[in-house]
């Protein structure tokens, strides 16, 4: 009778260990899947932000509006915010090529902004 009880106890312990290992493995897999999903969402969000920035810069270069304000493009088709950024970078010591790398403007547009001080 004692041998039967010990065999049953060992069998129950063995089955419990197997079930526990399955549960732990699934938890780990779920955690890995969640981490992978989080990374994918982060990458996609970053790509969307970059694309949105490009679109915003392209929209800023469109034709000017009749009245110029701080949020409207200047008469040269360059948005006033970009003009302010170019002047700020130039003041900080960046040259035309470096400013062109950081913006969607051409070097000639940047030179004209610097020469005119951002005025029309």
């Amino acid at each position: 009778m004692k041998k039967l009880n010990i065999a049953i106890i060992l069998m129950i312990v063995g089955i419990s260990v197997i079930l526990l290992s399955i549960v732990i493995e699934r938890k780990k897999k779920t955690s890995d899947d969640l981490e992978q999903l989080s990374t994918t969402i982060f990458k996609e969000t970053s790509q969307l932000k970059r694309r949105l920035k490009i679109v915003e810069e392209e929209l800023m270069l469109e034709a000017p509006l009749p009245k110029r304000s701080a949020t409207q493009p200047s008469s040269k088709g360059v948005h006033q915010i970009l003009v302010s950024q170019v002047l700020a970078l130039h003041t900080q010591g960046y040259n035309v090529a470096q400013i062109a790398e950081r913006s969607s403007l051409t070097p000639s547009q940047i030179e004209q902004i610097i020469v005119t001080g951002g005025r029309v």
Side-chain angles (χ1 to χ4, degrees):
M1 188 83 161
K2 282 189 173 185
K3 289 184 181 183
L4 185 60
N5 287 340
I6 292 177
I8 292 175
I9 291 174
L10 287 176
M11 195 178 332
I12 291 173
V13 169
I15 291 172
S16 299
V17 169
I18 291 172
L19 291 175
L20 184 63
S21 69
I22 290 171
V23 169
I24 290 174
E25 184 177 320
R26 283 189 183 171
K27 234 182 200 182
K28 184 179 178 197
K29 186 174 189 273
T30 303
S31 176
D32 291 344
D33 289 346
L34 184 61
E35 185 176 334
Q36 184 178 4
L37 179 64
S38 175
T39 304
T40 303
I41 289 173
F42 176 75
K43 287 178 182 178
E44 289 177 2
T45 303
S46 296
Q47 288 175 348
L48 286 173
K49 285 180 181 179
R50 281 194 300 267
R51 289 179 185 169
L52 182 61
K53 182 179 178 183
I54 291 169
V55 169
E56 286 175 345
E57 287 179 354
E58 288 175 359
L59 289 174
M60 287 181 198
L61 294 176
E62 287 183 355
L65 298 173
K67 293 182 181 179
R68 188 175 149 210
S69 73
T71 59
Q72 294 176 331
S74 69
S75 64
K76 298 294 181 185
V78 178
H79 198 279
Q80 189 62 34
I81 293 174
L82 283 175
V83 171
S84 300
Q85 288 176 344
V86 167
L87 293 174
L89 289 171
H90 180 68
T91 303
Q92 293 173 15
Y94 289 93
N95 63 35
V96 173
Q98 291 170 324
I99 296 171
E101 289 176 7
R102 289 170 171 75
S103 72
S104 60
L105 301 175
T106 64
S108 61
Q109 288 174 313
I110 294 169
E111 289 172 355
Q112 185 169 4
I113 291 169
I114 292 171
V115 168
T116 62
R119 287 182 233 103
V120 178

